[in-house]
Amino acid sequence: SGLMPEQAEVRGLLAMMLVNDGRREARFAPDSGDLILLADQDRSLWVDNQIEQGRRCLESALALGGDGPYVVQAMLAVLHIEESPDWDRIAALYEQLSRLTGSPVVELNRAVATAEGGDVETALELTEALDLENYHYLHSTRAKLLETVGRIDEARSAYDRALALVRSGAERRLLERRRERLGCGTLDSPRFRDAAGSDAEPLAKLVDQAYRHYIERIGEPPRPMGDDYSKVIEDNRVIVAEVSGETVGLIVLAYGKNGFFVDNVAVRPEVQGRGIGRRLLALAESEAIRAGAGSIRLFTHEKMTENLRFYARLGYSEYQRRRHRNSEILYLEKHLGEQDGDC
């Protein structure tokens, strides 16, 4: 970049290369050579000073007014390695990069980011429009998305197509492992099923674990902790998320004269932050659309501030408040079939 210091694109290219190459040693398992996805990489193997140099190059490119393809790709490289990636921002940048390049591969990456942000149905629609039949990443991506929404047979076929096209041994082994576990549930792709009566006790325990830390903050046990889950399962649609046969999350859906409601969504504390709550809510949105609902509603306590931020990122907005003792319950709604943030 020293030969053309004023060209932002050159600095953007260098930034992207430095950041991506800084993770090189963490990408493959040293014993087996198996591929390790970014979320599972050992960050102690990253070359921090090289990645920091990449960040500085990106800052320099942005200071020069850079907004070309390499600068956008450098921004994406940096955003992807954040501890908590901003998937909405990442998806927006992929959309910007798609306009700059016209690349269907970029659109595929936008679909992945859209799914990570919680909108799996839209992600699937994006993949269906892509002319990438002979590109194995299209089929492996679709397989994961289809599994997330419970379309297991279609996911299996997509994995088969990806395996027929893949050439890398490390990637083949990863796809084979995913296909073998299909329907069993992993943290990346939980298994979803309807709750049965026998689930009542483990669901009550899960809810207690998920909500107990709120008692001191709001001054009383949150309402879901007092529910009779035998009756909840009997009266509502309850969907369970499983990983390796263990229940790690649930969502309670109710559809009546007041619309389509998420009455409760809970995830075991030790697996929170892994996208299970987002996937449960994405599944709920799919169910709402199938039921003909134009929106989906839920509620939370005003002092559960992390929940409010989470729901806002997913496109929910407040439509009502109700007083409960010394606090307020906030009712939130997301209109379905609309593009978040689009004028």
Side-chain angles (χ1 to χ4, degrees):
S1 66
L3 297 175
M4 295 176 286
E6 299 305 313
Q7 293 197 19
E9 274 292 87
V10 176
R11 298 189 182 195
L13 173 60
L14 179 59
M16 178 184 66
M17 294 171 64
L18 287 167
V19 172
N20 288 337
D21 185 69
R23 299 188 292 106
R24 180 179 53 194
E25 296 300 321
R27 284 191 176 124
F28 297 93
D31 49 351
S32 64
D34 285 348
L35 183 67
I36 301 176
L37 300 179
L38 193 154
D40 300 319
Q41 289 175 10
D42 181 353
R43 290 177 175 244
S44 69
L45 297 176
W46 291 6
V47 185
D48 292 336
N49 60 344
Q50 181 176 318
I51 292 173
E52 185 56 36
Q53 183 184 356
R55 292 179 188 273
R56 290 196 299 270
C57 284
L58 174 59
E59 290 172 1
S60 175
L62 292 172
L64 291 170
D67 58 2
Y70 285 129
V71 172
V72 175
Q73 288 177 78
M75 294 170 68
L76 285 163
V78 168
L79 285 170
H80 271 293
I81 64 173
E82 297 296 329
E83 289 282 358
S84 299
D86 183 344
W87 291 110
D88 290 340
R89 175 65 174 145
I90 290 172
L93 282 172
Y94 275 124
E95 186 174 11
Q96 180 181 340
L97 185 61
S98 178
R99 290 196 298 267
L100 290 169
T101 65
S103 168
V105 174
V106 173
E107 279 291 280
L108 180 60
N109 286 323
R110 178 160 79 100
V112 172
T114 300
E116 290 289 348
D119 194 347
V120 180
E121 291 291 345
T122 296
L124 272 169
E125 291 174 8
L126 287 171
T127 65
E128 288 166 0
L130 300 177
D131 185 14
L132 291 170
E133 178 58 31
N134 294 319
Y135 189 58
H136 79 270
Y137 289 119
L138 170 66
H139 302 287
S140 62
T141 298
R142 281 184 53 76
K144 185 174 179 181
L145 297 176
L146 288 163
E147 182 178 11
T148 299
V149 297
R151 292 157 61 180
I152 302 302
D153 290 340
E154 292 174 76
R156 186 174 290 109
S157 296
Y159 274 127
D160 288 341
R161 179 60 179 153
L163 284 164
L165 294 168
V166 69
R167 294 293 178 262
S168 162
E171 292 186 47
R172 173 176 293 280
R173 291 191 294 273
L174 174 65
L175 292 175
E176 287 173 342
R177 289 195 302 273
R178 284 183 172 179
R179 191 189 185 285
E180 288 171 5
R181 293 196 299 258
L182 198 60
C184 296
T186 65
L187 280 174
D188 287 333
S189 297
R191 174 181 179 246
F192 298 109
R193 63 171 177 81
D194 286 320
S198 59
D199 290 305
E201 185 175 340
L203 291 187
K205 181 178 179 181
L206 185 154
V207 169
D208 182 85
Q209 293 171 336
Y211 283 95
R212 179 158 294 280
H213 70 286
Y214 287 120
I215 295 176
E216 183 176 356
R217 190 190 305 183
I218 68 177
E220 62 180 338
R223 191 225 68 201
M225 292 181 68
D227 286 347
D228 177 348
Y229 280 87
S230 294
K231 184 167 177 52
V232 170
I233 293 169
E234 182 180 340
D235 294 345
N236 302 277
R237 174 87 187 275
V238 182
I239 299 174
V240 171
E242 287 185 338
V243 169
S244 300
E246 292 190 22
T247 301
V248 297
L250 79 146
I251 193 163
V252 180
L253 308 177
Y255 189 36
K257 63 180 181 179
N258 293 322
F260 198 100
F261 249 95
V262 174
D263 188 66
N264 182 17
V265 56
V267 176
R268 259 175 37 187
E270 62 266 33
V271 296
Q272 289 176 5
R274 300 298 297 268
I276 293 171
R278 283 203 313 270
R279 290 181 173 91
L280 283 165
L281 285 165
L283 193 58
E285 289 178 24
S286 298
E287 292 298 318
I289 291 169
R290 284 196 194 95
S295 66
I296 186 168
R297 295 176 172 181
L298 51 79
F299 61 91
T300 191
H301 195 283
E302 65 173 343
K303 293 183 180 178
M304 296 181 179
T305 52
E306 62 271 61
N307 289 350
L308 289 170
R309 291 192 296 269
F310 174 64
Y311 294 137
R313 289 199 301 271
L314 295 183
Y316 288 83
S317 57
E318 180 184 337
Y319 71 91
Q320 186 180 17
R321 290 185 178 219
R322 291 181 183 172
R323 197 73 183 167
H324 175 73
R325 297 180 183 174
N326 296 320
S327 301
E328 290 189 322
I329 304 300
L330 278 61
Y331 290 78
L332 311 176
E333 182 175 33
K334 179 176 181 178
H335 292 281
L336 303 174
E338 297 182 359
Q339 295 295 320
D340 298 337
D342 187 51
C343 295

